[in-house]
Amino acid sequence: MSVCVPPLGLPGVVTTARQVRARITAHGPMATNTWRMRIHAPEIAGQILPGQFFMVKAPDRSDPLLGRPFALFETYADASGNVTELDFGYIVVGKLTSLLTSLKVGDEVELWGPLGNGFPPPPAGHLVVVAGGIGQTPFLSVLHEALGQRNYGRPVETRPDKLTFCYGVRSASYLAGVEDFRLPGVDVRIATDDGTAGRKGYVTQLLDEVLKAESGPVTVYCCGPEPMLHAVAKLTAAASVPCLVSLETPMACGFGACFSCVTRVKQEDGAWDYRRVCVEGPVFTADELIWD
Ligand code: FES
């Protein structure tokens, strides 16, 4: 692997991100139109946190010119215990992801990261993670950390006493990596639009049931398509439950320079302002975002 000059030292951009050219160590489909790629990138894998992301680009190509953001799925240690690899999941849509499917073990990609803020250390009480589509990928590391099964190099002072994973996809064949989430201590609930797995209906119905059955403190983390995030934000607001959402906003640079990823955030004085999802996000509190 060669370490390249990072394009990240821009004024006002504070980051420990690195740009590397890294070898693919595993790659293959994990659901319909959905793939998982593992990369040997110790510079990034050793410092990335749950909910952070990295940009991936095909090397030595100008088409597609830009990289794309992918959330961390999980990191992996070598036989000596050093964290050297990470992986991500992706749905095949567009030029870059189509190109990625043609890459094989031993090929290289460019990536730069870790980027973004990520999720905070685990809360106490009941943590409910809600995912739609490919939005499950940030949550495997979240759950591993919450269970005490993984350490990402930051202090963890509390752990949830209950963990629920609600996952919604259109059909059973789109359930991506769901077996990885069936961990002791995690209540896995599935919803499919067509009823081919789990409950027939939307993942928000699963969340609604969990919230109605819980009388103790709950925190909700959510990632997926924006209409789903908005529906979850409404449900959690109605239940007075804190909710963090990870936005899947398209990005061009990933490090704060191009402003292609902005979202509107409420201000204390009642006005709103733009925030860059790649730097100030991708994780925001649901009630600070302007959804309409
Ligand atoms: Fe360029 Fe966020 S992607 S500023």
Side-chain angles (χ1 to χ4, degrees), residues 20-103:
V20 301
R21 188 165 164 138
R23 187 170 33 84
I24 298 167
T25 57
H27 189 207
M30 62 173 171
T32 296
N33 211 32
T34 310
W35 291 57
R36 185 170 183 168
M37 180 183 286
R38 190 182 296 192
I39 303 165
H40 183 266
E43 300 90 342
I44 298 172
Q47 57 172 323
I48 196 164
L49 297 171
Q52 287 191 300
F53 68 96
F54 42 87
M55 300 291 285
V56 175
K57 183 181 180 302
D60 306 322
R61 294 180 66 112
S62 56
D63 182 27
L65 181 63
L66 301 172
R68 274 202 49 189
F70 296 99
L72 171 69
F73 208 147
E74 189 48 288
T75 59
Y76 303 89
D78 63 16
S80 306
N82 299 311
V83 178
T84 55
E85 296 185 335
L86 47 74
D87 66 1
F88 64 96
Y90 65 95
I91 293 181
V92 184
V93 278
K95 209 175 261 187
L96 178 67
T97 48
S98 297
L99 177 63
L100 290 182
T101 63
S102 70
L103 299 180

